[in-house]
Structure formats: C-alpha cells, structure tokens
Amino acid sequence: GAGVSQSPSNKVTEKGKDVELRCDPISGHTALYWYRQSLGQGLEFLIYFQGNSAPDKSGLPSDRFSAERTGGSVSTLTIQRTQQEDSAVYLCASSPRRTSGTNANTDTQYFGPGTRLTVL
Amino acid sequence: DAKTTQPPSMDCAEGRAANLPCNHSTISGNEYVYWYRQIHSQGPQYIIHGLKNNETNEMASLIITEDRKSSTLILPHATLRDTAVYYCIVRVAANSGYALNFGKGTSLLVTP
C-alpha cells in the first residue's frame, strides 16, 4: 500500500519568507509526527497529532513554527519568516498507535521521504 | 526510555549475514526493542521490533537475549542496498515521549 508522502521534496526559499510543507500519512493511521534533521544530526521532534486530541507542540523551536492536521489526515507544517538555521530535512511519520489488542503499546512509526528545506 | 549502545560502524561482505548488536542493559519489562535504518538522503525506515521473543519478517530477524539486556539484528543476506545507519531504540510506546531517540546508530557498509 501507499506509504507516507511529503511535498515538496525540495524547497529553496529566501530568508524572511514563509513556507508550507505537506504530509500525507498512511490511510487509517491516527498518529502523525513531524521531525527535523539537520545535516549530520539526529532527529529532532517537533509536533505530534493523535486523533482528535489537542496536538503536542512541545518540540516546536519557536512561535514561527506551526502545524495543523485537517480532517485527521493531511498535515501542513508552516514556518513563518524563515531563518537560515531552519535549513534542514523535515520528516513526517505516521503510526497506527495501537493501545489495545495485538501489538498493544507499540508505536511503529513509518516515515516519509522528507522535505529538504534550504533557506538562503 | 532505556539507553542503548551500538558499535559506531561495521562492514559486511555482500551476500553474507550482517549481525548488528545492541546493548540495552537497563531495559524495563514493558519496553520494546525497535530497529530502524536510514539510508543516505532518505527518511528512516522501520525494520522490526520485539518484546522478548525472537522475531522475523521479510527484512530481518531480531534475536533478543533471555535477560533482554541485549539484542542482535540479523540481515541474512546483505546487499549493497542495505548500506545504511541502523538504529536500535528501546521504548514504551503508550506513555513515553513521542519522539524516537535515534542516537548515533551503527553505520553498516556492505562491500562487493
């Protein structure tokens, strides 16, 4: 079946511009995560959506970052007034996030290919 | 989530089995062992996970010691496309933080 998709695959923008990054999770997955990965670094958690619950925004680095998830499916990460330090690969992951039944308490996350953001 | 220790790098000849070790001596009884990999310029890819029994899927096998303090990911017939950084992660999904802590991982180089 189709995996997690992200668009665009690459985005080059000028400092101070706003950008929107899109994530289409795997159909039926209730949990959606945004991470970013700077060159040669590990994954940095940004935000987490679970069903209709309020998102966990604890990883967002500043108020220039925001995200929404419409209809419990597609998510958009918006970065306002981009800065050069925002340059990174932005990764989206989704998970069925089962909390009962088979594989209860597991949280296998499936990642998209990422969006490489370059801020000039 | 329990801390994991992996060797920084390993080599494996194409067609041979790649055995990637992971130590997780502080693992708790309800923590799962997950393996992901990240091929250069791609997003992380889930490989396999387990609690205490050995697991096998189409990609790999996961061998967990009886005391659960260590595990080994086995790629039975490594190919050049298996060259990647492999991450061992121990976590409780239900009540842990949401972020996956990938650590440094093991950089596996499969050679012709």
Side-chain angles (χ1 to χ4, degrees):
Chain A
V4 177
S5 61
Q6 293 185 245
S7 60
S9 55
N10 282 284
K11 177 71 176 179
V12 179
T13 190
E14 294 179 348
K15 178 181 174 181
K17 300 282 189 181
D18 298 351
V19 295
E20 285 190 352
L21 312 180
R22 177 187 168 105
C23 172
D24 284 87
I26 293 172
S27 177
H29 280 192
T30 58
L32 187 147
Y33 310 77
W34 282 98
Y35 297 84
R36 72 177 176 182
Q37 188 171 34
S38 300
L39 186 64
Q41 302 297 312
L43 266 66
E44 176 187 7
F45 166 73
L46 298 177
I47 189 169
Y48 161 71
F49 295 88
Q50 172 59 40
N52 296 320
S53 302
D56 178 348
K57 305 178 182 180
S58 60
L60 295 179
S62 77
D63 58 7
R64 296 187 294 105
F65 288 72
S66 63
E68 62 178 21
R69 189 180 184 191
T70 54
S73 180
V74 172
S75 178
T76 302
L77 177 70
T78 301
I79 309 173
Q80 296 178 310
R81 305 180 303 281
T82 52
Q83 304 294 311
Q84 289 182 331
E85 60 262 29
D86 299 334
S87 295
V89 176
Y90 288 80
L91 291 157
C92 174
S94 71
S95 167
R97 189 82 177 172
R98 298 184 183 90
T99 55
S100 64
T102 301
N103 282 326
N105 297 329
T106 61
D107 180 31
T108 301
Q109 297 182 24
Y110 298 88
F111 286 80
T115 294
R116 181 174 298 277
L117 175 66
T118 303
V119 182
L120 302 176
Chain B
D1 297 333
K3 179 181 177 181
T4 62
T5 304
Q6 299 177 253
S9 63
M10 293 181 64
D11 292 348
C12 178
E14 187 178 20
R16 305 295 294 270
N19 297 283
L20 294 97
C22 179
N23 287 323
H24 31 79
S25 58
T26 61
I27 192 171
S28 300
N30 60 349
E31 288 184 308
Y32 287 77
V33 180
Y34 285 81
W35 283 85
Y36 283 79
R37 73 181 182 183
Q38 189 167 24
I39 296 170
H40 182 62
S41 297
Q42 296 184 22
Q45 178 186 24
Y46 165 78
I47 302 173
I48 198 167
H49 76 280
L51 184 62
K52 53 185 176 181
N53 297 323
N54 297 337
E55 302 287 345
T56 295
N57 63 20
E58 65 279 3
M59 289 183 68
S61 295
L62 173 61
I63 308 299
I64 303 174
T65 58
E66 190 171 344
D67 64 7
R68 302 208 324 122
K69 293 184 184 300
S70 65
S71 60
T72 301
L73 178 75
I74 301 173
L75 308 179
H77 304 288
T79 70
L80 299 179
R81 289 176 295 179
D82 292 322
T83 292
V85 180
Y86 288 77
Y87 298 96
C88 170
I89 301 162
V90 173
R91 64 188 267 115
V92 177
N95 59 6
S96 66
Y98 311 117
L100 289 172
N101 181 4
F102 276 55
K104 299 290 186 183
T106 296
S107 179
L108 175 68
L109 175 64
V110 180
T111 57

